[in-house]
Amino acid sequence: MSSPRWIVPFAEGSKEQRDLLGGKGANVAEMTRVLGADKVPGGFTITTEACVAYMAAGDAPDGLDEQVGTALAALEEQTGKRLGDAEDPLLVSVRSGARESMPGMLDTVLNLGLNDDSVEGLAARTENPRFAWDSYRRFVQMYANVVKGVPGERIEQEIAALKKDRGVKLDTELDVDALRALVETFKGIYREATGEDFPLDPREQLDGAIRAVFDSWTGERAVTYRRLNRIPDDWGTAVNVQRMVFGNKGETSGSGVAFSRDEVTGAPEPSGDFLPNAQGEDVVSGVRNTRDISELEEWLPEVYVELLDVLSRLEAHYLDMQDVEFTVEEGELFMLQTRDAKRPAQAAVRFAVDAVAEGLMDPRVALLTIDAEGLDALLHPTFDPSAEYAVLAKGVAASPGAAQGAIVFTADEAIAAEADGREVILVRPFTEAEDVGGFHAAKGILTSEGGKASHAALVARGMGRPAVTGASSLEIDLAAQTVRVGETTLGVGDHIAIDGSTGAITTEEVPVVEPEVSEAFLRVLEWADAARLLGVRANADSPEDAERARGFGAQGIGLCRTEHMFLGERQPLMAAVILAADRAGRDEALAELRPLQQEDFEGLFEAMIGLPVTIRLLDPPLHEFLPHKADVEKRLERARAEGSDEVGELQRTFDRVSALQETNPMLGTRGVRLGILYPEIYMMQVDAIFAASTAVHERTGTAPHLEIMIPLVDYERELDFMRRVVTERAQAAGLKHGDDYLVGTMIELPRACFLADQIAEFADFFSFGTNDLTQTALGFSRDDIEGKILGRYIETKILDRSPFETLDSPGVGQMLRMGAWLGRTTQADLKLGVCGEHGGDPDSIDFFHHSGIDYVSCSPYRVPVARVAAAQAAVRAANA
Amino acid sequence: MSSPRWIVPFAEGSKEQRDLLGGKGANVAEMTRVLGADKVPGGFTITTEACVAYMAAGDAPDGLDEQVGTALAALEEQTGKRLGDAEDPLLVSVRSGARESMPGMLDTVLNLGLNDDSVEGLAARTENPRFAWDSYRRFVQMYANVVKGVPGERIEQEIAALKKDRGVKLDTELDVDALRALVETFKGIYREATGEDFPLDPREQLDGAIRAVFDSWTGERAVTYRRLNRIPDDWGTAVNVQRMVFGNKGETSGSGVAFSRDEVTGAPEPSGDFLPNAQGEDVVSGVRNTRDISELEEWLPEVYVELLDVLSRLEAHYLDMQDVEFTVEEGELFMLQTRDAKRPAQAAVRFAVDAVAEGLMDPRVALLTIDAEGLDALLHPTFDPSAEYAVLAKGVAASPGAAQGAIVFTADEAIAAEADGREVILVRPFTEAEDVGGFHAAKGILTSEGGKASHAALVARGMGRPAVTGASSLEIDLAAQTVRVGETTLGVGDHIAIDGSTGAITTEEVPVVEPEVSEAFLRVLEWADAARLLGVRANADSPEDAERARGFGAQGIGLCRTEHMFLGERQPLMAAVILAADRAGRDEALAELRPLQQEDFEGLFEAMIGLPVTIRLLDPPLHEFLPHKADVEKRLERARAEGSDEVGELQRTFDRVSALQETNPMLGTRGVRLGILYPEIYMMQVDAIFAASTAVHERTGTAPHLEIMIPLVDYERELDFMRRVVTERAQAAGLKHGDDYLVGTMIELPRACFLADQIAEFADFFSFGTNDLTQTALGFSRDDIEGKILGRYIETKILDRSPFETLDSPGVGQMLRMGAWLGRTTQADLKLGVCGEHGGDPDSIDFFHHSGIDYVSCSPYRVPVARVAAAQAAVRAANA
């Protein structure tokens, strides 16, 4: 009777066999297949099917023992060594390896095959008896503990007692005799705990270890982990048995790590380190000074040549730059591991361009080797990486780029400083809409509260201003105008520097490195544009932002937030609109705002000639344009005390501010609700837009592509109402729907996703506002959650990152798809965009690619990232 | 060639033919069918199909004219009168009537058939030439204007000129001669405007009016209305031609209105009014003193008997109490209209019970005759309807019941007053969680802000405390402790009375009528329980509420909000928990709270022995248990100024309050997020619940059915985390899952609806929190929206009522159904409830009945309403 095949030697497997061989087994098999069986320490994998059969039977399945014997014999044959040999023993590691990496399982038994005889052989070959005995001691200890469950503390007690006895402190101070004694002691403990002698027969050791791996699959910790991570119990685990190689067998042995190209620049020569006569852990531990990989050429020229060859073959096979670990055992090169190399953006770009030039891969494949997110770093100045400085504090790397200047605490001071030509950093606990003028004027923003999705972070990224947020060790006292960090206290005018790419904060002057968009990067962007299907637009509110976005390749403006046009010097006018006693007063103030708005729009349209511009009508609650209630109250009290004649007006302002106060502004009187309550504000905006369009058309001969966007729509009738207002004003301005302008809406509320078919009756386009959709769908206020809850949620594994950073695809993502699908049931060619932070996030972009979205819109500085990410999504989809 | 049948005489149609005959035509046909053709003024309906054919052809379809002729001849035959007859003319009305009532369409042409001859006949028969000529004048005017589009102002000018000329002010002062002159003038205007003579041929008049009705279907106003209301253009409208009858043809003529039973009490004798020798409009205008319907018996005994018979037949046919209009023309009774009678709750209940006793209908049908919403009024005291008092102001009728007492402005004052045995009304601009203690102590609540779904309204309804909210004419100055309304200023201790069923506010002492749950009401509730499939539970937090709920028939507690247990005298302890410097301090404060909580739960469980109790763990943000930031700041400033040694502690409180401040508390650190940040708080609650359960079990021999509910879950892992905490504490307490307790969750976030299948893996039940689900799905903050936006939205027809009052079924409702369906894909028998205001709303209950929900939970006082509404839903569904 022939039993199933329970074992696959490394040389016969491949990476596609993950289900059968587990992740680890499939990987080592793949490397063996690429490099040949003699370049990877040999071994075999006992399949997950064997584990499943073991679990079913409660014992090793028929034929497994024989097949282990056969595989072991083949390994001995291949290596010319025998397990337990007293001269030059074969030693093996035994490792578990499920389909997915799984904490809570038996991980590794090393040095299996050592016994009282073979330890001497190892000592002789390595000329290092201490190493040999220490290895034996560790093996017995590990075997007793992880295979047989002998309590670890029982063993540790003995080590501690022995150290005390010998008068030494460290394990490494124990000599060969002491280690010999420990092995004997451990064997005694083993006997006491298990009722059996410690197995000296290597085959018995091996069988014990294999069973222990199988048993660990049903251990309590593994079961719990699987339940939490929804891994089926019936997958089972594979067991990998692999020959151990030693880099410390003398002067022709050694260990090292290498990158197939320069790990910093990506230049086409390998980089790395090695150590002669040493094991892998010595290379990374930093105890001994490593040598540069280039010196390997002198020392072992043949090995060096072979390593270069191996690196090329690995690159060609894995189609990416590689990062390897290797060991040289008595002049023979063994590759222990290879993986795609983590590298900085410039190296990734360089590799991609070189690899294509070398014919290694085509541009579409090369695009996939780049971490799109990392490209952001290439677009901003940073602290010189070689600079040394004392870090004052660390915060969240909220908006990339380095900046320095004198501390100011208010937007007004920042604006004044800019007028004087002084460079300042705006420092605040958190920021609000009224601080935005200060963002323009300051070189950088620093806050003690809020995370990557706080107001400060969003606005700073949108403008490309460096920002560090949530630096919680900063105690900012606005009243006293001081920042305290531990012992240090800083005040207005003190120097401070921030790096928004790393979150570092310092009081020192730090040299800053300017970014450079390299030829290679431009090449990559060209490939990306050829490959991608998603359009990429930018969120921009000013001609400068629009020009920058266009420079970065934006194909239009996907979101122009008009509220920024009401701030700064316009704020008093907007406040007059809101404080007006009646419609007539409001109309008068609006009439003053109109020409200013028109001017803003003209600048924007000229910067985007030939491209579409999506303009969102006023969105935020009106109280954002008024002073704080507490401030007005104080001024009112003072005026009352002084009997000032300002009391009346201050009282009126106070009443209005109080009336506009909201418990949950996010869910309050904003968006289209404002448009319906005060149509005259939206009318003024629309009039200014149309007048600007006409003026630019006359001046340039080209009509702008206007897309008027109504925010926060819940009900189709809201959109119908506003669409009629827009249409009426357009007719008055002599503009034609379709040719001159479109009317669409933000889809940013869960209800709108559910009723998108009805809303689409009145929309020429949808733009998914995924920031607000995330807030409402999850009931998560961005401002309140990121600082307080996110850390705890990541710690407890409820989340792995902020839903404001990468779209929550199972929840918010499905709502978006529902909205997209329903919208297109009404209008098959409905234009669909995404504005909001997720539009610049590579993982989210991949999701949008699969959701029928036409374009994403992100901050100008993220446009290149989005172009590459969109291309990657398209290539991956085509490959799938 | 035979053409289709374009006309249906009233006697041949029925109410099922709404699509063909329109609403009006189907109704009059039904009444004719029931009462016979001689009891309803005869006529016929030109079908909607005729209108459709007319629109297609642009002219009257083949055969229509002949069929009108035939129908008209039949009508003349039936009535013994002829159109245009100079002796006793037949006059008809022509009315449009689409499937749905549709403003913007041609409504009515009356008195058609009058011309220079027949007007004299009418004058003779009515012995009232002025009436006849005024009717003719009106007909010419109406025909010119609505049928031929002659501008109304052109006609009005002539009337004005004539009045000036005759030196009179009112139309009614114009005598026969003047009216004759007007008719001639109008004919002149008609000729001038249309180029034709005014048609004196009645048949020509009729054809013109019919065409005008058809044309009005495609008029601009009607088209716009249909677009807004999604009424298909191709429905078309029907045209109803009906004989006019006159109650003013002398002493054996008259008009009246009648209810088939007493309109106030429901007692089984008709009520109503009539006027001899008068038309219907005279009865309702109040110009002449009407007579009680009982007097009809003396005046025209045969007509009276006939009317009684008609009323019985109508009741038997429509299976409801009827409200009719009738006219007696020369001793002959004609029924003009009948409809189900609007009536107060006690009458509705009385009718239902009597109708069943009389064998008129069975209880399931009788249930449908009751307006469930109205029953609420039977459960609360009200101002005596006969009392006279000066209304100071009106607010929103937020929580039914009348209350009066002395004004207080804070919860503390209310509590102090209660201790002294004084009755007070709590008056505030709006209320918050910390005011809840005052709700218990006060007799009623009055606020100047917020609507039916404001905090004050919700809490007051939950407790059954009368409340009037949003009384915006009240200017409440908390600092000055005054309420100003126009000229009146009230202060602490001044008397005030409110009626939460009507919204009335007065400073007078008003007699109050106590409610009485009548035998009849109890009977109705019994029927309801037999008919309904939905369970009804109550939201209750205290033993008193629980007992009241049980008294009203609640089948358990669907929502016990534990936060109320942290208020009042417990607040300092809860504040200590929150302000504790570390975990140890927090644990200490929690240990003090635990026995108090246990006591609360014991009381609750004893009140609900044998029934399930769903306990929601702490939900609101922690800052609700701390003093206001502004208050702490003031105290801190004062302490600093005085050099008080309280500065340190106040500073610590201030810092903590500041740190807990949230921009959008609704979307912030609350619900399960608190449980994950501070598991010790939830643990304390769970320990107290389990200890109380054990104690009650020991005491009573019956174990409570505990359902522990985790609020605000987004991610299944949140629930998994908390479920494990609960399970662990249960094991420690020796309780068994299933037998002793269940663990479930609120579904109140859109994400949870989308991922309900995954969440259901860890839930024994779901309870849909439709209040918060509405807030998040719509992005509508209840507190902010109801006051500011709702009115404008209803005015602009975006909404017809608050989504917090009746569930937004297309949006929020579909999310709920998605959640219910997905939850049951994981667990087919998952228990599903609804807590939140909608659980007591009849329309929403009907939706829940069709959504697979097992039970609704509402405030104790709404339980009877919910029982009846649930029964109605079941009966309607069975009939459908």
Side-chain angles (χ1 to χ4, degrees), chain B residues 723 737-738 741-744 760 762-766 827 829-831:
Chain B
R723 188 187 180 91
H737 176 249
Y741 72 96
L742 300 174
V743 183
F762 302 97
D764 300 320
F765 63 87
F766 282 176
Q827 272 191 55
D829 58 351
L830 187 70
K831 202 193 303 193

Side-chain angles (χ1 to χ4, degrees), chain A residues 265-342:
Chain A
T265 64
E269 50 267 353
S271 61
D273 305 287
F274 76 97
L275 268 178
N277 199 13
Q279 285 194 286
E281 61 227 49
D282 302 323
V283 180
V284 289
S285 72
V287 175
R288 288 161 59 187
N289 284 332
T290 58
R291 306 205 198 156
D292 190 83
I293 199 74
S294 58
E295 292 178 40
L296 183 61
E297 189 170 10
E298 280 165 43
W299 175 49
L300 292 172
E302 284 175 22
V303 169
Y304 183 69
V305 169
E306 191 177 3
L307 179 64
L308 292 191
D309 175 57
V310 161
L311 289 172
S312 310
R313 282 158 63 200
L314 288 172
E315 270 195 354
H317 180 73
Y318 289 102
L319 294 175
D320 203 348
M321 183 169 153
Q322 295 296 298
D323 166 7
V324 304
E325 290 175 23
F326 64 89
T327 283
V328 184
E329 187 183 68
E330 297 178 325
E332 194 175 352
L333 176 68
F334 290 100
M335 302 306 294
L336 303 183
Q337 181 174 290
T338 189
R339 58 185 174 194
D340 296 346
K342 284 211 167 30

Side-chain angles (χ1 to χ4, degrees), chain A residues 184-233:
Chain A
E184 286 313 306
T185 309
F186 290 172
K187 284 183 186 162
I189 293 171
Y190 184 96
R191 195 176 309 115
E192 197 183 293
T194 65
E196 297 164 9
D197 284 337
F198 185 84
L200 296 179
D201 174 7
R203 177 60 203 268
E204 196 185 334
Q205 292 174 356
L206 182 58
D207 289 343
I210 292 168
R211 278 170 174 69
V213 172
F214 284 161
D215 289 336
S216 72
W217 178 259
T218 48
E220 198 185 319
R221 283 182 54 214
V223 169
T224 302
Y225 181 87
R226 283 200 296 278
R227 195 167 55 74
L228 288 182
N229 293 274
R230 299 175 174 270
I231 296 176
D233 284 335

Side-chain angles (χ1 to χ4, degrees), chain A residues 36 193 252 342 408 419 521 534 735 748 773 780:
Chain A
T252 58
K342 284 211 167 30
V408 295
F521 193 5
L534 272 176
L735 296 189
E748 50 187 335
L773 188 58
F780 258 45

Side-chain angles (χ1 to χ4, degrees), chain A residues 428-504:
Chain A
R428 293 194 63 80
F430 56 88
T431 64
E432 294 173 280
E434 58 178 23
D435 299 319
V436 169
F439 279 60
H440 274 292
K443 294 292 157 195
I445 318 299
L446 171 59
T447 72
S448 57
E449 297 174 21
K452 275 209 166 187
S454 62
H455 176 266
L458 289 177
V459 175
R461 279 205 294 282
M463 288 184 187
R465 278 286 173 287
V468 173
T469 60
S472 51
S473 65
L474 269 55
E475 295 173 49
I476 300 171
D477 186 336
L478 290 178
Q481 302 248 329
T482 57
V483 190
R484 237 175 31 205
V485 193
E487 303 295 294
T488 311
T489 301
L490 304 170
V492 174
D494 287 343
H495 182 85
I496 200 160
I498 60 172
D499 188 338
S501 312
T502 63

Side-chain angles (χ1 to χ4, degrees), chain A residues 702-722:
Chain A
T702 310
H705 301 293
L706 301 182
E707 300 179 350
I708 311 251
M709 181 153 75
I710 312 296
L712 213 74
V713 164
D714 249 329
Y715 301 96
E716 71 276 14
R717 291 190 185 183
E718 293 171 322
L719 185 57
D720 179 30
F721 183 105
M722 289 318 316

